[in-house]
Amino acid sequence: MKVQFLGAARTVTGSCYIIEANGVRFAVDCGMHQGNNEIEKRNYDTSVYHPAELSFFLVTHAHIDHTGLLPKMVRDGFSGSIYCTEPTRDLLEIMLQDSANIQEMEAEWQTRKQKRKGKKPVDPLYTQADAARVSRFFQHVEYNTPFSPAEGITVTYKDAGHILGSAFMEIEISGNGQFSRLIFSGDLGKPNSLIVRDPESAAAADYLFVESTYGDRNHKDESNSRQEFADAIAYSYAAGEKVIVPAFAVERTQEVLYTLFLLQKEGKLPIDMPIFLDSPLAIRATEIFRKHPKFFDDDLQKLLMSGEDPLSMPNLHLTTKTQESQAINNHQGPAVIISASGMCNAGRIKHHLRHNIWRSGASIVFVGYQGVGTPGRRIVDGAQTIRLFGEDIAVQAKVFTIGGFSGHAGQQQIVDWIGKFATEDLKVFLVHGEEKAQSALKRLLAERFKVDVRIPGYLEEIELAPGQAVVTTEQPKRYQAQVNWDFLLTETEARIAQLQAHKQDIEKRDWAHQIEIRDRLLELNNEMLSILSEL
C-alpha cells in the first residue's frame, strides 16, 4: 500500500492524499493550494494527480482547501464517485460555483493586463461549467455507516466536529492475508463548539494522518473569546468606527453570528449598532445550515425548539448585491462588518480593509487561522502597512486575534483525542500544519505515547505494510524553489549602480520624462520599505 502527499504537507492548504491499495487508486480530499505564488502554482499541474486513474474521492468536509481542485479533476478526466456527507454535498454545490466564479474573474483581470502588454490571454483554473459537472459524481454517506467503495476497502465516516457535515474517516484495507486500519482526521474540531457536535472517538488504528494546525498552542476558552469580541465592539463603538471581521463563509461566519446573538442577550452589543453580513456565499451557506438542524449540537437544537434563532438578529443586514456592499463604506457611524475571505486574500473584505484599516478607532477582528503569505497573516504579524489594490495602506486599526473561534482543535485537544486510541504500534503522520507547529506536536506525541511520528513533505510517497517499517520515497520538490539571496541582492545592487551611472543621462531628459522615472523609482522604494517593515 502506498500513500502520497499532494498537499497540506508542511503547509495548511491543498489537502490531498492519494492511496494505492488492492489495485485501486483513490484520494482523501482534493484541496486548492493557497498562499504565495510558488505554492499556488501547484494548482495548475494535474499531472501529479493523474485524475483519470483515480477511482474515487473521500471528502472530509466542504472547505475549499480540501475540495477546491475537484472541478479541475473532473475536467481533466476523473469520472468516479465523490463520497461526502449530505451537508458537505449541499455546501459544495455553492462553494465550488463561487470558487469557479473567482477563477473566471481573476483570469479576466489577468487577461486584460496581458493584452495591454501584447501577450496571450489567461485561462481560468476552471470554470463555472466545470464546477457544475462535479455534482453528478456526489454520493452522500451517513456517519457511522460503513460502506465499501472498492473490493477489500471499507470506509466509515465519523463526526469530526469541525464544520457542518465534517468527518474524519476510518479506512480498513484487507487483501493477500493482510489487514490495515488508517485514520484520516481531516480538520479535527474542538469540544464545546457553538454549532456542531464534539468530535467522535476513533477506533484503534495502525496509521494515523492527523492535522496539526495548532500543534504548538492551545485556544482560549469560549467565554474569554466572547469577551474579547465585546471589547473590540466597545472600542470601535466609542470611537464611532467600524469592526471588520474577516471570516470564512462556512462555519466561522455562522459562529460569529451566534456569538453576536449571545452578546446582544448579555447587553454587550449596542442595539443601534448595525451588523452587515457582506458575503453572498456566507448568506447562502447560512440557509444550508438551516436545512440540516439534525447535525447541530444538542444545545443549539434546544434553542431552536424554544423559538429563538441565533443566526438572525433585528439589526442584521444581509448584503448580496455589489451596490449594497459599496454602500456600507458610506455608512456613517459604528457598525460590525462580516465579510470573506477569512484570510483577506480575496473577496469583499479587501475593500472593507481598504476603507477602514487606516482608521485608528477601527477594529480588525481575526477569528480564524491566517496562512503564511496571506494579507491576514501579515496584519496579524504586525505589519505597519498592507498592500491592497496596488496601494500601501497604513495599519492603524486595532487588531484582535481571537483563537477561541477556531474550528480546529488546539494542541491539548489533539493530544486528548489521540490518547483515546493510541498504542505504541501506532504510526503517526502530521499533516495540515506549518513546520513550527508540527515540530512541537511531534515532540509531545513521541514523549507522551512513545509512538513513531513523521512529518511528510510535499510529493513525498510512503509504502506501508502491517508489522513493517515505513518506507519513504522523497519525490522531486516541485515548486519549492530555493531562493538564491546572494545572487538576487547582488543583482539589485548592480541595477542601482547602473542607475547611478546613468544619472546624467536622466537629467538630460525632458521634465515630464524625468518625473515619470522619478515616480517609478518611488514605487520601487515603497516596495522595499514594505518588505523591510515585515522583517
Side-chain angles (χ1 to χ4, degrees), residues 423-436:
T423 66
E424 290 190 9
D425 294 329
L426 178 67
K427 294 178 173 60
V428 180
F429 301 89
L430 300 183
V431 296
H432 200 290
E434 294 173 12
E435 290 188 57
K436 177 176 175 288

Side-chain angles (χ1 to χ4, degrees), residues 59-133:
V59 173
T60 60
H61 65 287
H63 278 153
I64 290 298
D65 64 315
H66 289 255
T67 62
L69 288 185
L70 287 173
K72 189 164 173 56
M73 295 297 109
V74 170
R75 189 184 70 185
D76 293 348
F78 174 75
S79 59
S81 294
I82 300 172
Y83 295 97
C84 59
T85 64
E86 191 175 4
T88 297
R89 178 200 65 194
D90 290 351
L91 289 167
L92 280 178
E93 287 181 350
I94 63 170
M95 294 180 72
L96 294 179
Q97 282 293 323
D98 182 77
S99 175
N101 182 49
I102 291 171
Q103 303 307 317
E104 290 176 344
M105 290 192 297
E106 177 69 18
E108 183 181 339
W109 179 70
Q110 291 286 355
T111 293
R112 287 199 299 270
K113 288 179 62 178
Q114 291 289 88
K115 284 183 176 179
R116 288 195 293 268
K117 298 175 182 178
K119 296 182 179 180
K120 294 180 180 179
V122 175
D123 292 327
L125 182 63
Y126 51 80
T127 66
Q128 293 184 67
D130 296 326
R133 282 193 286 271

Side-chain angles (χ1 to χ4, degrees), residues 239-309:
E241 297 291 355
K242 297 180 176 68
V243 179
I244 310 300
V245 186
F248 297 106
V250 175
E251 197 70 33
R252 208 62 57 245
T253 289
Q254 291 74 34
E255 286 209 345
V256 168
L257 290 175
Y258 198 153
T259 300
L260 290 169
F261 168 82
L262 294 174
L263 290 176
Q264 194 170 68
K265 291 186 70 172
E266 294 167 359
K268 297 177 181 178
L269 176 64
I271 58 174
D272 60 341
M273 192 172 192
I275 302 165
F276 295 98
L277 178 51
D278 188 32
S279 169
L281 180 61
I283 293 167
R284 294 197 297 272
T286 302
E287 291 309 308
I288 289 174
F289 270 60
R290 296 181 192 280
K291 283 177 55 180
H292 296 287
K294 74 174 185 178
F295 289 86
F296 295 163
D297 71 1
D298 292 342
D299 290 341
L300 179 52
Q301 289 192 40
K302 290 175 183 176
L303 190 64
L304 292 170
M305 289 177 65
S306 73
E308 294 193 271
D309 184 357

Side-chain angles (χ1 to χ4, degrees), residues 210-230:
V210 63
E211 74 126 308
S212 50
T213 312
Y214 289 96
D216 59 344
R217 57 197 184 278
N218 293 310
H219 299 308
K220 299 173 184 175
D221 65 41
E222 180 189 319
S223 60
N224 286 342
S225 296
R226 192 157 74 241
Q227 184 55 50
E228 279 189 80
F229 201 176

